[in-house]
């Protein structure tokens, strides 16, 4: 294959501190595996729910002593500037407090080892979507689909020029409402899209948008209008869209079954979308299925197959996706290795917290290891023990690094979705407050005996966050008014835990332990921990900032996986396809088969 015009100069968007991709990867893996500070802040060793449940607490135990005074004095947004934006090459004229040199060095390390997320739009056939294509899209989705559709079009044209072989289909993993597929199937792209989606409601909504956009027509029905009108007059108007009620009315009117069959009593919503195949125009084909692996045999078997005169053995596909959830990204990337028909992939992933784990718990005890939180009403430790061969890490390089391999627990992977560079003051204050409420409530639960302490090894007098944790109650979201005060939050949480059927097995314990808590007692807890809210916001910011390296590691692992299959893969790279401010999950992993 000749050089592709769309291929970036570097296979990974690393900064110029490194002379090659291999040097960058070496430094990244070494840092992730050996940095004590990264193990604390980036590797998921601090759990916000346990922030106040040990003495002296996570802040004092986890944060270097020379950082502590600075972190509790600096304003949260000023700290974010220090972490994400301040230029350390320029002498600072800022007023005290001054950041410790060791903190500045840690910030520099995280920045240089995070992939460069800057974005320059490529040339595209469209500068804006026509109104009928943009149906249902918010501003973020328009930005994503507009840029990614242009990227896919440029990439596929480039590959076709280099190979002389056209793509027959573009398979969208987890298509949702199929915004991307609709854009690619419409002019000027006119691609043939296979939309793979597990949720029938999403698929039904997508087909409705296809009709509105002109890519499909609503199924035409032929009915005996006189009989149909007679049936409608016999039922209440509120039941006119109820097929069963209309059938009962027809039987009561003595209409024979063979005549009822000619009336077509389905509601408008039940009518199918019909797609007409026309030369030179794009198509959309929906495939129902929840992918559990990268084998696309089941998907291919559901294709109409002959719409373009293409035989199954002549299929040449590109696997694509914007923000495939969790392992769907892995399935999409692996599909090129496991399926003869898939000739290229271009996958933008997200939802790293939904990735399964390939390696299981470590067999050794790292310096800051701690028990995994085992919620009494949430996903438990067995998730990390599944050793899912489809999980993270994908590559052998990361799986075997340092013999034990590199692991990312669910806390680390969840933090990789935070995008701290985009936080505003209002948003920051809102979620810092929510986390503060959550952490103090878990302390109340511990004191009241609702939850218990879990020790790593033998029980000790010292409650360091690195030798113990709790089995917390995962409450989830509450109604908006519950976040107006700590009292409202506690009362809302108790109400949810004692009345919601999802928590029925724990409601009696909550009633017994928490039923008599007074407003005064709740206020005392809030007052006791109020001055420590800054500790929590500082640690959360450090964790989110450190997780920029976590997200980079996940993208690098996917690239390494493709590169390790050099017998199949001609070329592979990672680049940005969205503006980080619009859509921070902006790294696409590209692979092209030989």
């Amino acid at each position: 294959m000749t050089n592709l015009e769309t291929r970036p100069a570097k296979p990974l968007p690393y900064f110029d501190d490194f002379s090659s991709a291999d040097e960058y990867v070496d430094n990244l893996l070494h840092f992730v595996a050996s940095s004590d500070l990264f193990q604390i802040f980036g590797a998921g060793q601090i759990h916000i729910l346990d922030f106040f449940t040990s003495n002296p607490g996570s802040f004092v135990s986890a944060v270097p002593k020379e950082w502590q005074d600075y972190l509790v004095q600096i304003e949260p947004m000023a700290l974010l500037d220090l972490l994400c934006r301040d230029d350390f090459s320029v002498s600072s004229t800022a007023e005290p407090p001054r950041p410790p040199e060791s903190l500045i060095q840690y910030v520099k390390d995280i920045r240089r080892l995070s992939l460069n997320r800057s974005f320059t739009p490529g040339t595209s056939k469209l500068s804006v979507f026509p109104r009928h294509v943009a149906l249902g899209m918010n501003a973020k989705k328009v930005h994503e689909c507009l840029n990614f559709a242009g990227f896919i079009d440029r990439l596929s044209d480039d590959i076709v020029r280099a190979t002389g072989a056209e793509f027959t289909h573009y398979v969208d993993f987890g298509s949702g409402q199929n915004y991307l597929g609709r854009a690619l199937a419409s002019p000027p792209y006119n691609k043939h899209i296979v939309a793979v989606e597990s949720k029938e409601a999403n698929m039904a909504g997508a087909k409705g948008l296809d009709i509105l956009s002109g890519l499909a027509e609503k199924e035409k029905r032929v009915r005996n209008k006189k009989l149909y009108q007679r049936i409608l007059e016999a039922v209440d108007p509120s039941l006119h869209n109820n097929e069963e009620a209309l059938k009962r009315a027809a039987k009561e009117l003595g209409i024979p079954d063979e005549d009822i069959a000619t009336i077509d009593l389905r509601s408008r919503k039940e009518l199918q979308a019909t797609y007409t195949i026309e030369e030179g125009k794009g198509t959309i084909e929906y495939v129902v299925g929840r992918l559990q692996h990268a084998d696309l045999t089941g998907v291919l078997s559901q294709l109409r197959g002959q719409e373009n005169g293409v035989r199954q053995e002549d299929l040449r596909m590109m696997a694509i996706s914007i923000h495939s959830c969790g392992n769907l990204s892995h399935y999409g990337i692996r599909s090129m290795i496991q399926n003869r028909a898939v000739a290229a992939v271009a996958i933008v992933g997200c939802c790293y917290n939904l990735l399964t784990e390939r390696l299981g718990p470590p067999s050794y005890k790292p310096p800051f290891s701690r028990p995994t939180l085992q919620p009494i009403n949430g996903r438990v430790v067995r998730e990390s023990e599944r050793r899912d061969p489809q999980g993270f890490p994908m590559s052998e390089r990361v799986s075997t690094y340092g013999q034990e391999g590199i692991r990312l627990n669910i806390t680390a992977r969840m933090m990789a979705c935070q995008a701290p560079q985009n936080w505003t003051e209002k948003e920051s204050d809102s979620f810092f407050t929510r986390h503060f409420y959550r952490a103090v409530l878990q302390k109340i639960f511990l004191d009241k005996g609702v939850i218990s302490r879990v020790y790593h090894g033998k029980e000790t007098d010292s409650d360091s966050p690195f030798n113990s944790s709790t089995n917390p109650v995962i409450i989830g979201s509450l109604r908006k008014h519950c976040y107006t005060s700590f009292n409202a939050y506690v009362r809302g949480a108790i109400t949810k835990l004692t009345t919601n059927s999802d928590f029925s097995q724990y409601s009696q314990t909550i009633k017994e332990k928490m039923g008599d808590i007074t407003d005064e007692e709740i206020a005392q807890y809030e007052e006791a921990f109020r001055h420590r809210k800054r500790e929590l916001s500082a640690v959360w910011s450090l964790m989110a900032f450190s997780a920029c390296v976590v997200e980079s590691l996940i993208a690098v692992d996917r690239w390494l996986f493709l590169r390790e299959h050099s017998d199949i893969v001609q070329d592979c790279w990672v680049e940005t396809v969205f503006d980080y401010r619009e859509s921070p999950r902006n790294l696409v992993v590209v692979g092209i088969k030989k």
Side-chain angles (χ1 to χ4, degrees):
M1 181 183 293
T2 59
N3 289 334
L4 297 173
E5 295 176 7
T6 50
R7 189 189 191 281
K10 297 186 290 189
L12 294 170
Y14 53 84
F15 288 98
D16 292 337
D17 304 64
F18 307 99
S19 61
S20 67
D22 286 328
E23 183 186 356
Y24 165 74
V25 172
D26 288 345
N27 279 266
L28 173 68
L29 297 184
H30 176 75
F31 179 80
V32 168
S34 64
S35 168
D36 287 349
L37 288 173
F38 181 80
Q39 289 298 315
I40 293 173
F41 297 116
Q45 298 302 328
I46 298 176
H47 297 151
I48 292 299
L49 288 179
D50 270 351
F51 205 78
F52 301 128
T53 58
S54 61
N55 187 22
S58 296
F59 183 78
V60 172
S61 300
V63 175
K65 187 172 180 58
E66 65 270 23
W67 297 10
Q68 293 176 14
D69 287 345
Y70 173 78
L71 292 176
V72 295
Q73 292 180 63
I74 189 172
E75 291 291 330
M77 294 308 292
L79 176 59
L80 282 176
D81 285 339
L82 174 84
L83 299 177
C84 303
R85 288 174 280 273
D86 285 355
D87 185 354
F88 298 123
S89 65
V90 179
S91 298
S92 174
T93 58
E95 297 295 323
R98 303 295 177 97
E101 284 302 317
S102 58
L103 172 58
I104 291 176
Q105 184 57 53
Y106 181 71
V107 172
K108 289 179 177 179
D109 288 340
I110 294 295
R111 288 187 189 180
R112 73 186 184 90
L113 290 167
S114 298
L115 292 174
N116 185 350
R117 311 299 286 276
S118 60
F119 168 62
T120 302
T123 57
S124 180
K125 294 174 181 176
L126 289 176
S127 57
V128 295
F129 277 142
R131 186 175 179 181
H132 65 276
V133 175
L135 286 170
M137 298 187 195
N138 58 22
K140 176 175 180 286
K141 187 58 66 177
V142 167
H143 175 83
E144 292 169 347
C145 290
L146 189 66
N147 282 286
F148 201 57
F151 175 80
I152 293 297
D153 182 58
R154 294 190 302 273
L155 176 64
S156 58
D157 284 351
D158 207 1
I159 295 173
V160 170
R161 280 193 297 270
T163 64
E166 297 277 354
F167 286 100
T168 60
H169 298 80
Y170 297 78
V171 184
D172 189 348
F173 282 70
S175 58
Q177 296 287 317
N178 199 31
Y179 297 120
L180 174 63
R182 194 170 302 108
L184 285 168
S186 301
Y189 303 120
N190 295 310
K191 308 294 187 187
H192 299 298
I193 305 301
V194 179
V196 184
E197 174 56 42
S198 62
K199 297 178 181 178
E200 292 189 11
N202 281 343
M203 194 174 294
K207 290 180 178 180
L209 290 172
D210 290 345
I211 292 171
L212 293 174
S213 69
L215 283 169
E217 294 180 353
K218 185 165 287 187
E219 177 185 0
K220 292 181 174 60
R221 56 180 159 194
V222 179
R223 62 165 43 137
N224 185 322
K225 293 183 179 179
K226 289 184 178 180
L227 275 181
Y228 181 64
Q229 190 60 40
R230 184 181 167 196
I231 294 170
L232 290 183
E233 292 172 353
V235 300
D236 187 278
S238 64
L239 298 175
H240 282 184
N241 288 324
N242 187 318
E243 184 177 351
E244 293 304 316
L246 294 177
K247 285 182 178 179
R248 286 195 301 269
K251 288 184 179 294
E252 291 172 0
L253 291 171
I255 299 174
D257 289 344
E258 57 269 23
D259 289 340
I260 294 175
T262 67
I263 302 173
D264 195 346
L265 298 176
R266 290 174 297 166
S267 67
R268 291 172 61 87
K269 290 182 178 180
E270 294 176 289
L271 296 180
Q272 298 298 309
T274 60
Y275 297 82
T276 303
I277 309 301
E278 296 183 39
E279 184 68 29
K281 289 191 175 182
T283 60
I284 298 177
E285 189 165 356
Y286 291 92
V287 174
V288 181
R290 185 175 184 85
L291 293 176
Q292 300 291 345
H293 45 69
D295 185 353
L296 296 185
T297 302
V299 171
L300 300 181
S301 68
Q302 295 185 55
L303 294 182
R304 289 188 296 262
Q306 302 297 323
E307 69 267 33
N308 302 304
V310 179
R311 299 175 301 172
Q312 287 281 330
E313 58 267 29
D314 294 331
L315 289 173
R316 178 176 167 83
M317 299 175 151
M318 181 186 292
I320 62 174
S321 183
I322 295 179
H323 298 158
S324 292
C325 289
N327 278 10
L328 266 182
S329 298
H330 287 178
Y331 303 153
I333 292 167
R334 289 180 186 275
S335 70
M336 189 174 76
I337 307 302
Q338 296 184 213
N339 299 271
R340 181 200 56 78
V342 179
V345 296
I347 303 290
V348 183
C350 75
C351 301
Y352 310 121
N353 54 308
L354 298 180
L355 290 173
T356 54
E357 297 175 40
R358 176 182 174 188
L359 300 178
S363 59
Y364 63 98
K365 299 295 185 288
F368 304 105
S369 82
R370 54 169 292 158
T372 299
L373 289 179
Q374 301 182 61
I376 61 175
N377 60 328
R379 185 161 61 172
V380 294
V381 73
R382 68 173 179 270
E383 177 65 27
S384 67
E385 295 176 339
R386 284 178 56 191
R387 300 181 184 275
D388 183 356
Q390 303 282 337
F392 174 88
M394 295 183 73
S395 69
E396 288 305 306
R397 176 79 185 280
V398 178
S399 297
T400 59
Y401 187 82
Q403 296 184 327
E404 287 283 348
I406 294 175
R407 294 160 172 79
L408 295 175
N409 67 23
I410 190 171
T411 302
R413 288 182 276 111
M414 179 271 293
M415 293 305 299
C417 301
Q418 298 304 305
Q421 292 91 327
N422 288 349
W423 293 356
T424 66
E425 186 169 6
K426 182 178 179 180
E427 291 169 340
S428 299
D429 182 67
S430 177
F431 59 69
F432 289 153
T433 298
R434 290 200 304 271
H435 292 316
F436 175 72
Y437 287 172
R438 293 169 65 213
V440 178
L441 179 58
Q442 295 296 324
K443 172 62 174 171
I444 297 176
F445 282 160
L446 181 64
D447 290 350
K448 292 286 187 178
V450 174
I451 60 177
S452 58
R453 187 170 298 285
V454 179
Y455 286 91
H456 184 92
K458 296 181 179 179
E459 183 173 337
T460 66
D461 294 332
S462 172
D463 290 338
S464 162
F466 299 124
N467 72 5
S468 68
S469 65
T470 62
N471 54 342
V473 178
I474 305 299
I475 298 168
S477 61
L478 297 174
R479 293 181 178 179
K480 189 174 181 179
H481 75 87
C482 294
Y483 298 97
T484 56
S485 70
F486 183 58
N487 187 286
Y489 181 82
V490 174
R491 297 300 179 191
I494 292 173
T495 298
K496 181 176 182 178
L497 292 171
T498 55
T499 60
N500 190 308
S501 59
D502 292 340
F503 302 95
S504 58
Q505 57 184 312
Y506 311 107
S507 60
Q508 190 58 40
T509 300
I510 298 294
K511 288 176 182 177
E512 292 175 0
K513 305 290 187 179
M514 297 288 294
D516 60 350
I517 191 168
T518 65
D519 291 347
E520 291 74 20
E521 194 172 0
I522 294 172
Q524 289 172 5
Y525 269 97
E526 182 179 18
E527 187 60 31
F529 290 96
R530 187 193 307 275
H531 67 287
R532 297 177 63 184
K533 181 181 176 182
R534 185 67 63 81
E535 297 177 2
L536 187 147
S537 68
V539 169
W540 184 266
S541 298
L542 282 165
M543 290 169 65
F545 172 66
S546 301
C548 295
V549 166
V550 174
E551 185 174 17
S552 297
L553 174 63
I554 293 171
V556 166
D557 172 59
R558 294 169 179 179
W559 173 73
L560 286 170
F561 171 82
L562 289 173
R563 197 173 72 158
E564 288 170 357
H565 288 82
S566 57
D567 57 325
I568 297 173
V569 179
Q570 171 73 32
D571 204 353
C572 56
W573 68 85
V574 176
E575 66 175 297
T576 57
V577 284
F578 310 134
D579 186 323
Y580 190 91
R581 292 167 297 182
E582 296 285 342
S583 183
R585 309 281 75 78
N586 69 345
L587 294 171
V588 63
V589 179
V590 178
I592 301 170
K593 184 177 285 186
K594 287 185 174 179

